CSV table of all heavy atoms in Angstrom, one decimal:
chain,number,residue,atom,x,y,z
A,1,GLU,N,-20.9,-9.0,20.6
A,1,GLU,CA,-20.6,-7.6,20.6
A,1,GLU,C,-19.1,-7.4,20.6
A,1,GLU,O,-18.6,-6.5,19.9
A,1,GLU,CB,-21.2,-6.9,21.9
A,1,GLU,CG,-22.7,-6.9,21.8
A,1,GLU,CD,-23.3,-6.2,23.1
A,1,GLU,OE1,-22.5,-5.7,23.9
A,1,GLU,OE2,-24.5,-6.1,23.2
A,2,LEU,N,-18.4,-8.2,21.4
A,2,LEU,CA,-16.9,-8.1,21.4
A,2,LEU,C,-16.3,-8.5,20.0
A,2,LEU,O,-15.4,-7.8,19.6
A,2,LEU,CB,-16.4,-9.1,22.5
A,2,LEU,CG,-14.8,-9.1,22.6
A,2,LEU,CD1,-14.4,-7.7,23.0
A,2,LEU,CD2,-14.4,-10.1,23.7
A,3,LEU,N,-16.9,-9.5,19.4
A,3,LEU,CA,-16.4,-9.9,18.1
A,3,LEU,C,-16.6,-8.8,17.0
A,3,LEU,O,-15.8,-8.5,16.2
A,3,LEU,CB,-17.0,-11.2,17.6
A,3,LEU,CG,-16.7,-12.4,18.4
A,3,LEU,CD1,-17.5,-13.6,17.9
A,3,LEU,CD2,-15.2,-12.8,18.2
A,4,ALA,N,-17.8,-8.1,17.1
A,4,ALA,CA,-18.1,-7.0,16.2
A,4,ALA,C,-17.1,-5.9,16.4
A,4,ALA,O,-16.7,-5.2,15.4
A,4,ALA,CB,-19.5,-6.6,16.4
A,5,LEU,N,-16.8,-5.6,17.7
A,5,LEU,CA,-15.9,-4.5,18.0
A,5,LEU,C,-14.5,-4.8,17.5
A,5,LEU,O,-13.8,-3.9,16.9
A,5,LEU,CB,-15.9,-4.2,19.5
A,5,LEU,CG,-15.0,-3.1,20.0
A,5,LEU,CD1,-15.4,-1.8,19.4
A,5,LEU,CD2,-15.0,-3.0,21.5
A,6,GLN,N,-14.1,-6.1,17.7
A,6,GLN,CA,-12.7,-6.5,17.2
A,6,GLN,C,-12.6,-6.4,15.7
A,6,GLN,O,-11.6,-6.0,15.1
A,6,GLN,CB,-12.4,-7.9,17.7
A,6,GLN,CG,-11.1,-8.4,17.3
A,6,GLN,CD,-10.0,-7.6,17.9
A,6,GLN,OE1,-10.0,-7.3,19.1
A,6,GLN,NE2,-8.9,-7.3,17.2
A,7,LYS,N,-13.7,-6.7,15.0
A,7,LYS,CA,-13.7,-6.7,13.5
A,7,LYS,C,-13.6,-5.2,13.1
A,7,LYS,O,-12.9,-4.9,12.1
A,7,LYS,CB,-15.0,-7.3,13.0
A,7,LYS,CG,-15.1,-7.4,11.5
A,7,LYS,CD,-16.4,-8.1,11.1
A,7,LYS,CE,-16.5,-8.2,9.5
A,7,LYS,NZ,-17.7,-8.8,9.1
A,8,GLU,N,-14.3,-4.3,13.8
A,8,GLU,CA,-14.2,-2.9,13.4
A,8,GLU,C,-12.8,-2.4,13.6
A,8,GLU,O,-12.2,-1.6,12.8
A,8,GLU,CB,-15.2,-2.1,14.2
A,8,GLU,CG,-15.2,-0.6,13.9
A,8,GLU,CD,-16.3,0.1,14.7
A,8,GLU,OE1,-17.1,-0.5,15.4
A,8,GLU,OE2,-16.3,1.4,14.5
A,9,VAL,N,-12.2,-2.8,14.7
A,9,VAL,CA,-10.8,-2.3,15.0
A,9,VAL,C,-9.8,-2.9,14.0
A,9,VAL,O,-8.9,-2.1,13.5
A,9,VAL,CB,-10.3,-2.8,16.4
A,9,VAL,CG1,-8.9,-2.6,16.6
A,9,VAL,CG2,-11.1,-2.1,17.5
A,10,ASP,N,-10.0,-4.1,13.6
A,10,ASP,CA,-9.1,-4.7,12.5
A,10,ASP,C,-9.3,-4.0,11.2
A,10,ASP,O,-8.3,-3.8,10.5
A,10,ASP,CB,-9.5,-6.2,12.4
A,10,ASP,CG,-9.1,-7.0,13.6
A,10,ASP,OD1,-8.2,-6.6,14.4
A,10,ASP,OD2,-9.6,-8.2,13.7
A,11,SER,N,-10.6,-3.6,10.9
A,11,SER,CA,-10.8,-2.9,9.7
A,11,SER,C,-10.2,-1.5,9.7
A,11,SER,O,-9.6,-1.1,8.7
A,11,SER,CB,-12.4,-2.7,9.5
A,11,SER,OG,-12.6,-2.0,8.3
A,12,LEU,N,-10.2,-0.8,10.8
A,12,LEU,CA,-9.6,0.5,10.9
A,12,LEU,C,-8.1,0.4,10.8
A,12,LEU,O,-7.4,1.2,10.2
A,12,LEU,CB,-10.0,1.2,12.2
A,12,LEU,CG,-11.4,1.6,12.3
A,12,LEU,CD1,-11.7,2.1,13.8
A,12,LEU,CD2,-11.7,2.7,11.3
A,13,ARG,N,-7.5,-0.7,11.4
A,13,ARG,CA,-6.1,-0.9,11.3
A,13,ARG,C,-5.6,-1.2,9.9
A,13,ARG,O,-4.6,-0.7,9.4
A,13,ARG,CB,-5.7,-2.1,12.2
A,13,ARG,CG,-4.2,-2.3,12.3
A,13,ARG,CD,-3.8,-3.5,13.1
A,13,ARG,NE,-4.1,-3.3,14.5
A,13,ARG,CZ,-5.0,-3.9,15.2
A,13,ARG,NH1,-5.8,-4.9,14.6
A,13,ARG,NH2,-5.2,-3.7,16.5
A,14,ALA,N,-6.5,-2.0,9.1
A,14,ALA,CA,-6.1,-2.3,7.7
A,14,ALA,C,-6.2,-1.0,6.9
A,14,ALA,O,-5.4,-0.8,6.0
A,14,ALA,CB,-7.1,-3.3,7.2
A,15,LEU,N,-7.2,-0.1,7.2
A,15,LEU,CA,-7.3,1.1,6.4
A,15,LEU,C,-6.1,2.0,6.7
A,15,LEU,O,-5.6,2.7,5.8
A,15,LEU,CB,-8.6,1.9,6.8
A,15,LEU,CG,-9.9,1.2,6.3
A,15,LEU,CD1,-11.1,2.0,6.9
A,15,LEU,CD2,-9.9,1.3,4.8
A,16,GLU,N,-5.6,2.0,7.9
A,16,GLU,CA,-4.4,2.8,8.3
A,16,GLU,C,-3.2,2.3,7.6
A,16,GLU,O,-2.4,3.1,7.1
A,16,GLU,CB,-4.2,2.8,9.8
A,16,GLU,CG,-3.0,3.5,10.3
A,16,GLU,CD,-3.1,5.0,10.1
A,16,GLU,OE1,-4.2,5.5,9.9
A,16,GLU,OE2,-2.0,5.7,10.1
A,17,ILE,N,-3.0,1.0,7.5
A,17,ILE,CA,-1.9,0.4,6.9
A,17,ILE,C,-1.9,0.7,5.4
A,17,ILE,O,-0.9,1.0,4.7
A,17,ILE,CB,-1.8,-1.2,7.1
A,17,ILE,CG1,-1.6,-1.5,8.6
A,17,ILE,CG2,-0.8,-1.8,6.2
A,17,ILE,CD1,-1.7,-2.9,8.9
A,18,GLU,N,-3.1,0.6,4.8
A,18,GLU,CA,-3.3,0.9,3.4
A,18,GLU,C,-3.0,2.4,3.1
A,18,GLU,O,-2.4,2.7,2.0
A,18,GLU,CB,-4.7,0.6,2.9
A,18,GLU,CG,-4.9,0.6,1.4
A,18,GLU,CD,-4.1,-0.4,0.7
A,18,GLU,OE1,-3.8,-1.5,1.2
A,18,GLU,OE2,-3.8,-0.1,-0.5
A,19,ALA,N,-3.4,3.3,4.0
A,19,ALA,CA,-3.1,4.7,3.8
A,19,ALA,C,-1.7,5.1,3.9
A,19,ALA,O,-1.2,6.0,3.3
A,19,ALA,CB,-3.9,5.5,4.9
A,20,ARG,N,-0.9,4.3,4.6
A,20,ARG,CA,0.5,4.5,4.7
A,20,ARG,C,1.3,4.1,3.5
A,20,ARG,O,2.5,4.5,3.3
A,20,ARG,CB,1.1,3.8,6.0
A,20,ARG,CG,0.6,4.4,7.3
A,20,ARG,CD,1.2,3.7,8.5
A,20,ARG,NE,0.7,4.2,9.7
A,20,ARG,CZ,0.9,3.7,10.9
A,20,ARG,NH1,1.7,2.6,11.0
A,20,ARG,NH2,0.4,4.2,12.0
A,21,LYS,N,0.7,3.2,2.7
A,21,LYS,CA,1.4,2.7,1.5
A,21,LYS,C,1.6,3.9,0.5
A,21,LYS,O,0.7,4.8,0.4
A,21,LYS,CB,0.6,1.6,0.8
A,21,LYS,CG,0.6,0.3,1.6
A,21,LYS,CD,-0.2,-0.8,0.9
A,21,LYS,CE,-0.2,-2.1,1.7
A,21,LYS,NZ,-0.9,-3.1,1.0
A,22,PRO,N,2.7,3.9,-0.3
A,22,PRO,CA,2.9,5.0,-1.3
A,22,PRO,C,1.8,4.9,-2.4
A,22,PRO,O,1.5,3.8,-2.8
A,22,PRO,CB,4.3,4.7,-1.8
A,22,PRO,CG,4.6,3.3,-1.5
A,22,PRO,CD,3.8,3.0,-0.2
A,23,LYS,N,1.4,6.1,-2.8
A,23,LYS,CA,0.4,6.1,-3.9
A,23,LYS,C,1.0,5.7,-5.2
A,23,LYS,O,2.1,6.0,-5.5
A,23,LYS,CB,-0.2,7.5,-4.0
A,23,LYS,CG,-0.9,8.0,-2.7
A,23,LYS,CD,-2.2,7.2,-2.4
A,23,LYS,CE,-2.9,7.8,-1.1
A,23,LYS,NZ,-4.1,7.0,-0.8
A,24,LEU,N,0.2,5.0,-6.0
A,24,LEU,CA,0.7,4.6,-7.3
A,24,LEU,C,-0.2,5.2,-8.4
A,24,LEU,O,-1.4,5.1,-8.4
A,24,LEU,CB,0.6,3.0,-7.4
A,24,LEU,CG,1.3,2.4,-8.6
A,24,LEU,CD1,2.8,2.7,-8.6
A,24,LEU,CD2,1.1,0.9,-8.6
A,25,TYR,N,0.5,5.9,-9.3
A,25,TYR,CA,-0.2,6.6,-10.3
A,25,TYR,C,0.2,6.0,-11.7
A,25,TYR,O,1.2,5.4,-11.8
A,25,TYR,CB,0.1,8.1,-10.3
A,25,TYR,CG,-0.2,8.8,-9.0
A,25,TYR,CD1,0.7,9.0,-8.0
A,25,TYR,CD2,-1.5,9.3,-8.8
A,25,TYR,CE1,0.4,9.6,-6.8
A,25,TYR,CE2,-1.9,9.9,-7.6
A,25,TYR,CZ,-0.9,10.1,-6.6
A,25,TYR,OH,-1.3,10.7,-5.5
A,26,PRO,N,-0.7,6.2,-12.7
A,26,PRO,CA,-0.3,5.7,-14.0
A,26,PRO,C,1.1,6.2,-14.5
A,26,PRO,O,1.4,7.3,-14.3
A,26,PRO,CB,-1.4,6.3,-14.9
A,26,PRO,CG,-2.6,6.5,-14.0
A,26,PRO,CD,-2.0,6.9,-12.7
A,27,PHE,N,1.8,5.3,-15.1
A,27,PHE,CA,3.2,5.6,-15.5
A,27,PHE,C,3.6,4.8,-16.7
A,27,PHE,O,3.0,3.7,-17.0
A,27,PHE,CB,4.2,5.3,-14.4
A,27,PHE,CG,4.3,3.9,-14.0
A,27,PHE,CD1,5.3,3.1,-14.5
A,27,PHE,CD2,3.4,3.4,-13.0
A,27,PHE,CE1,5.4,1.7,-14.1
A,27,PHE,CE2,3.5,2.1,-12.7
A,27,PHE,CZ,4.5,1.2,-13.2
A,28,ASN,N,4.5,5.3,-17.5
A,28,ASN,CA,5.0,4.5,-18.7
A,28,ASN,C,6.1,3.6,-18.2
A,28,ASN,O,7.2,4.0,-17.7
A,28,ASN,CB,5.6,5.5,-19.7
A,28,ASN,CG,6.0,4.8,-21.0
A,28,ASN,OD1,6.3,3.7,-21.0
A,28,ASN,ND2,6.0,5.6,-22.1
A,29,PRO,N,5.9,2.3,-18.3
A,29,PRO,CA,6.9,1.3,-17.8
A,29,PRO,C,8.3,1.4,-18.5
A,29,PRO,O,9.2,0.8,-18.0
A,29,PRO,CB,6.2,-0.1,-18.1
A,29,PRO,CG,5.3,0.2,-19.2
A,29,PRO,CD,4.8,1.6,-19.0
A,30,ASN,N,8.3,2.1,-19.6
A,30,ASN,CA,9.6,2.2,-20.3
A,30,ASN,C,10.6,3.0,-19.4
A,30,ASN,O,11.8,3.0,-19.6
A,30,ASN,CB,9.5,2.8,-21.6
A,30,ASN,CG,8.9,1.8,-22.7
A,30,ASN,OD1,9.6,0.9,-23.1
A,30,ASN,ND2,7.6,2.0,-23.0
A,31,TYR,N,10.1,3.9,-18.5
A,31,TYR,CA,10.9,4.8,-17.8
A,31,TYR,C,11.0,4.5,-16.3
A,31,TYR,O,11.2,5.4,-15.5
A,31,TYR,CB,10.4,6.2,-18.0
A,31,TYR,CG,10.3,6.7,-19.4
A,31,TYR,CD1,9.2,6.8,-20.1
A,31,TYR,CD2,11.5,6.8,-20.1
A,31,TYR,CE1,9.2,7.2,-21.5
A,31,TYR,CE2,11.5,7.2,-21.5
A,31,TYR,CZ,10.3,7.4,-22.1
A,31,TYR,OH,10.3,7.7,-23.4
A,32,ILE,N,10.8,3.2,-16.0
A,32,ILE,CA,11.0,2.8,-14.6
A,32,ILE,C,12.4,3.0,-14.2
A,32,ILE,O,13.3,2.5,-14.8
A,32,ILE,CB,10.6,1.4,-14.4
A,32,ILE,CG1,9.1,1.2,-14.6
A,32,ILE,CG2,10.9,0.9,-13.0
A,32,ILE,CD1,8.6,-0.2,-14.5
A,33,THR,N,12.7,3.7,-13.1
A,33,THR,CA,14.0,3.9,-12.5
A,33,THR,C,14.3,2.8,-11.6
A,33,THR,O,13.4,2.0,-11.2
A,33,THR,CB,14.1,5.2,-11.8
A,33,THR,OG1,13.2,5.3,-10.7
A,33,THR,CG2,13.8,6.4,-12.7
A,34,ASP,N,15.6,2.7,-11.1
A,34,ASP,CA,16.0,1.6,-10.2
A,34,ASP,C,15.2,1.8,-8.9
A,34,ASP,O,14.8,0.8,-8.3
A,34,ASP,CB,17.5,1.6,-10.0
A,34,ASP,CG,18.0,3.0,-9.7
A,34,ASP,OD1,17.3,4.0,-9.7
A,34,ASP,OD2,19.3,3.1,-9.4
A,35,PHE,N,15.0,3.0,-8.4
A,35,PHE,CA,14.3,3.2,-7.2
A,35,PHE,C,12.9,2.9,-7.3
A,35,PHE,O,12.3,2.2,-6.4
A,35,PHE,CB,14.4,4.7,-6.7
A,35,PHE,CG,13.7,5.0,-5.5
A,35,PHE,CD1,14.1,4.6,-4.2
A,35,PHE,CD2,12.5,5.7,-5.5
A,35,PHE,CE1,13.4,4.9,-3.1
A,35,PHE,CE2,11.7,6.0,-4.4
A,35,PHE,CZ,12.2,5.6,-3.2
A,36,LYS,N,12.2,3.3,-8.4
A,36,LYS,CA,10.8,2.9,-8.6
A,36,LYS,C,10.6,1.4,-8.8
A,36,LYS,O,9.7,0.9,-8.3
A,36,LYS,CB,10.3,3.6,-9.9
A,36,LYS,CG,8.7,3.5,-10.0
A,36,LYS,CD,8.3,4.4,-11.2
A,36,LYS,CE,6.7,4.4,-11.2
A,36,LYS,NZ,6.1,5.0,-10.1
A,37,ALA,N,11.6,0.8,-9.4
A,37,ALA,CA,11.5,-0.7,-9.5
A,37,ALA,C,11.6,-1.3,-8.1
A,37,ALA,O,10.9,-2.3,-7.9
A,37,ALA,CB,12.7,-1.2,-10.4
A,38,TYR,N,12.4,-0.8,-7.3
A,38,TYR,CA,12.5,-1.3,-5.9
A,38,TYR,C,11.2,-1.1,-5.2
A,38,TYR,O,10.7,-2.0,-4.5
A,38,TYR,CB,13.6,-0.6,-5.1
A,38,TYR,CG,13.6,-0.8,-3.7
A,38,TYR,CD1,14.1,-2.0,-3.1
A,38,TYR,CD2,13.2,0.2,-2.8
A,38,TYR,CE1,14.1,-2.2,-1.8
A,38,TYR,CE2,13.2,-0.1,-1.4
A,38,TYR,CZ,13.6,-1.3,-0.9
A,38,TYR,OH,13.6,-1.5,0.5
A,39,THR,N,10.6,0.1,-5.3
A,39,THR,CA,9.3,0.3,-4.6
A,39,THR,C,8.1,-0.5,-5.1
A,39,THR,O,7.2,-0.8,-4.4
A,39,THR,CB,8.9,1.8,-4.7
A,39,THR,OG1,8.8,2.2,-6.0
A,39,THR,CG2,10.0,2.7,-4.0
A,40,LEU,N,8.2,-0.9,-6.4
A,40,LEU,CA,7.2,-1.7,-7.0
A,40,LEU,C,7.3,-3.2,-6.7
A,40,LEU,O,6.4,-3.9,-7.0
A,40,LEU,CB,7.2,-1.5,-8.6
A,40,LEU,CG,6.8,-0.1,-9.1
A,40,LEU,CD1,7.0,0.0,-10.6
A,40,LEU,CD2,5.3,0.2,-8.7
A,41,GLY,N,8.5,-3.5,-6.2
A,41,GLY,CA,8.7,-4.9,-5.8
A,41,GLY,C,9.4,-5.7,-6.9
A,41,GLY,O,9.4,-7.0,-6.9
A,42,MET,N,10.0,-5.1,-7.9
A,42,MET,CA,10.8,-5.8,-9.0
A,42,MET,C,12.1,-6.2,-8.4
A,42,MET,O,12.7,-5.5,-7.6
A,42,MET,CB,11.0,-4.9,-10.2
A,42,MET,CG,9.7,-4.7,-11.0
A,42,MET,SD,10.1,-3.6,-12.5
A,42,MET,CE,11.1,-4.7,-13.4
A,43,SER,N,12.6,-7.4,-8.8
A,43,SER,CA,13.9,-7.8,-8.4
A,43,SER,C,15.0,-7.1,-9.2
A,43,SER,O,14.7,-6.6,-10.3
A,43,SER,CB,14.0,-9.3,-8.6
A,43,SER,OG,14.1,-9.6,-10.0
A,44,PRO,N,16.2,-7.0,-8.7
A,44,PRO,CA,17.3,-6.3,-9.4
A,44,PRO,C,17.5,-7.0,-10.8
A,44,PRO,O,17.8,-6.3,-11.8
A,44,PRO,CB,18.5,-6.5,-8.5
A,44,PRO,CG,17.9,-6.6,-7.1
A,44,PRO,CD,16.6,-7.4,-7.3
C-alpha cells in the first residue's frame, strides 16, 4: 500500500514538472531566434 501511494505521488510530481515546462508549438526552423534556440537546447 505504501509503495502504491509513493508511486502515485511520484506520478503527480512528474506531471507537475511536465506542466511547468514551456509549451512547444509547430514552427518554421528557418526563423529560430537566439532565445528560442536557447530554450530548445541548441548550443550557441
Side-chain angles (χ1 to χ4, degrees):
E1 294 182 1
L2 180 62
L3 292 175
L5 181 61
Q6 183 62 44
K7 185 177 181 181
E8 183 176 353
V9 171
D10 292 341
S11 177
L12 293 173
R13 185 182 292 112
L15 290 174
E16 177 65 21
I17 293 174
E18 188 66 27
R20 292 179 182 176
K21 292 182 179 179
K23 300 294 183 182
L24 191 59
Y25 299 98
F27 63 95
N28 188 332
N30 285 288
Y31 300 110
I32 293 177
T33 62
D34 50 357
F35 177 74
K36 190 173 184 66
Y38 169 76
T39 59
L40 292 175
M42 289 180 67
S43 69

